[in-house]
Each structure stands twice: as structure tokens, then as C-alpha cells.
Amino acid sequence: MSEMQNIQWFPGHMTKTKRQIQASLKLVDAVAEIIDARIPVSSRNPDLSKLIQNKPRVILMNKCDMANQTATKMWIDHYAKQGVTALAVDCKSGRNLNKFPAAVDSVMRERIERLKAKGMKNPTMRIMIVGIPNVGKSSFINKISKQNRAKVEDRPGVTRGNQWFTISKNLEMLDTPGVLWPKFDDKLVGEHLAFTGAVKDQVIDIELLAVRLLDFLKRLKPAEFISRFKLEQTDLDSTDSYELLRLIGKKRGMLVSGGEIDTERAAIMLLDEFRAAKLGRVTVEMPNGEMR
Ligand code: G4P
């Protein structure tokens, strides 16, 4: 899957993105990093810390409607132990977005107090959204700006078109997100991003990807997966993953002329259903690394 890196994120592309983020960072006091709650490791860019340096950060675990709830709690505890504030959100339904201002407030408290001590009455804090493609940045901005209609006038020094929204008293958000590039330095990262549809299927061998997903689902055994395809325990224990893909295709009547099983169609269907959480709310990566 190394070609994914070349196709989507050639070095020039990364440099441009990095420059754009650096320019926007100058305008804000804090950063909200959106990640995918199903793949909290692979959907983060480890270089972000260097970029934002010591600016306070909130992690938004988005798409929590599709992640395993226990796993999401474990991740939030894991971040808390590292002194990092994380919030599980669902930008489709808007779940938990109302907790965002308080989460930002908690990470900004020290800075606000410092400014107040210097005599500033009600300092306004500004924040921007960052994240890799498809993680839900636009969905977050749309939802939160609809909930908070008040638009702040354009400011000098801001690229034309950039706008600010008042999110809560003394908190404004930049309406343009910072796009981060995924970091494919590990084969599993590429795979996990592909499982969730964060990278384009055209650059991936779809059947191989489906087989890798089945390797994972066989181990995890989510009940929805088993019942959806009417699988038996023995199918999971003894069948190799390619055979399992054939079995799933057969059960769905996916045949080509001559009665052969159409494994490509079965692979596309499996991935579509996984991405729509029809095979259960599945978290692929755990804080202790046990599912990776
Ligand atoms: P981006 O700006 O970071 O690139 O991501 P964007 O908001 O465009 O979201 C990417 C896809 O993820 C969209 O689906 C969006 O609806 C979906 N999405 C975002 N947040 C959530 C969430 O919390 N839960 C779920 N289940 N989905 C979420 P799409 O298929 O590309 O578009 P559409 O279905 O909205 O038409």
C-alpha cells in the first residue's frame, strides 16, 4: 500500500498544507484536533505536536456513533492520564458538541487566568480545527456554526474568506480547517485508514483489503458481523479469510457466470457495510495496542 502515500500526499502537497496550517496557527490560541474514534492512532498525524508547539489542544474523537463505546471510554481515560482533554463526538447527529466549549475552556483556563491577572477583562480565545481528510472537519464546522449563528466580522491579517464564529461567550472558531496529511510510515496505518474509507479505494487492492479486514473481524468477532452473514463459530475458527470472503459472497448470492463467486463484489460489499457500521460499532485500535 506504499503507493497510497505517493498518490495522495506527495512532498509538495504536504509542504503546502503545512504552510497553510502554520499561517492559520498564528491566528489562534488553541487547536481542536479531530480524529476518527475507530482508528485513534492512524487518524492522527504525529507531526502535529511539533507544528502547534505549546498551544493548548482538545482531541475530538469523532464518528463515535460507529466506534465501540467501551473502547472510546478507554481512549478518553488514556488521554486523560497523559493530561490531554478528549471528547467523544458525533458530527452527524451533533452528539456531545454542546460539551465542546467547556472542554476548550478547561484547556484554556490557565491562559485566561493569566490574561485576567494582567488586567484583561474578558479575553476572547480563538481556536481552529485540524485533522486528516475525511475525519469530519467540515461536518464539525457546519454543525457548530449552525448551532452558533453569530458570525464575527473578517479580521485584518486573515486570508480573505476566513471567517470566525462565536461558539460561546469569549470563544471564536476559524471556519477553515487545517488539513493534516496521514502518516503512512507503518503498513497497518495505511490498512486501517483504508478500512474506514479515509483513503480512496482506487489505489488499493480491494480484495486484499477485505481479507485483512476479515482477519481482524474474525479475531474480534462482533456479534453483528456474525449474525449479518449468518456465520457459524466454526467458519471463524477454521476458515482462512479468503475462504471466508468467498463464503460471504456465496451467502449473498454474488456469483458470476459459470457459478464462480464474485469475490470482488463481496469485498466491496463487506467494506461498504463495515464503513456504515452495519457490522457493529467497531474500534480497530486500542490504547494498549492489543487490536493492532
Ligand atoms: P473532512 O471535512 O474532514 O474531509 O470530512 P467531512 O466532514 O467531509 O466528513 C467525511 C464523511 O464523514 C462524510 O460522509 C460525513 O457525513 C461523515 N461524518 C462526519 N462526521 C461523522 C460522524 O460523527 N458520524 C458518522 N457516522 N459520519 C460522520 P460522506 O459519506 O462523505 O458524505 P455524506 O454522507 O455526509 O453525504
Side-chain angles (χ1 to χ4, degrees), residues 5 30 43-44 47 52 57 98 102 113 122 131 136 153 155 161 168 177 204-205 226 229-230 247 250 265 269 285 289:
Q5 183 174 4
S43 61
R44 289 187 82 178
D47 298 339
I52 66 173
R57 152 176 25 192
N98 57 345
E113 292 309 326
N122 283 309
E153 80 289 355
R155 285 169 193 275
S168 66
I204 304 159
D205 181 331
I226 292 170
F229 295 117
K230 302 189 174 56
L247 179 67
K250 192 171 160 199
R265 242 180 93 203
M269 177 265 303
E285 297 165 348

Side-chain angles (χ1 to χ4, degrees), residues 97-149:
L97 293 189
N98 57 345
K99 296 188 183 147
F100 178 63
V104 177
D105 199 61
S106 72
V107 301
M108 300 299 294
R109 189 106 309 268
E110 222 175 273
R111 189 182 160 88
I112 294 171
E113 292 309 326
R114 230 184 308 127
L115 290 171
K116 279 186 176 167
K118 280 188 186 159
M120 212 179 268
K121 268 219 170 96
N122 283 309
T124 294
M125 292 292 123
R126 290 170 302 174
I127 191 162
M128 72 178 284
I129 302 299
V130 299
I132 64 166
N134 273 318
V135 82
K137 296 177 299 298
S138 322
S139 306
F140 177 85
I141 290 172
N142 286 342
K143 265 266 169 348
I144 210 129
S145 56
K146 266 187 204 129
Q147 285 174 7
N148 304 274
R149 281 212 168 270

Side-chain angles (χ1 to χ4, degrees), residues 62-66 89-92 132-140:
N62 190 34
K63 310 199 184 187
C64 72
D65 55 310
M66 297 202 278
V89 294
D90 162 5
C91 291
K92 227 166 192 170
I132 64 166
N134 273 318
V135 82
K137 296 177 299 298
S138 322
S139 306
F140 177 85

Side-chain angles (χ1 to χ4, degrees), residues 40-97:
V41 178
S42 301
S43 61
R44 289 187 82 178
N45 181 317
D47 298 339
L48 180 65
S49 301
K50 251 186 281 160
L51 275 176
I52 66 173
Q53 294 183 358
N54 51 5
K55 279 197 207 296
R57 152 176 25 192
V58 172
I59 292 181
L60 295 170
M61 299 186 73
N62 190 34
K63 310 199 184 187
C64 72
D65 55 310
M66 297 202 278
N68 178 282
Q69 282 158 295
T70 311
T72 302
K73 279 199 194 89
M74 285 168 74
W75 272 108
I76 289 176
D77 289 348
H78 170 79
Y79 294 130
K81 279 189 200 125
Q82 299 174 343
V84 176
T85 300
L87 185 65
V89 294
D90 162 5
C91 291
K92 227 166 192 170
S93 71
R95 185 167 170 265
N96 270 352
L97 293 189

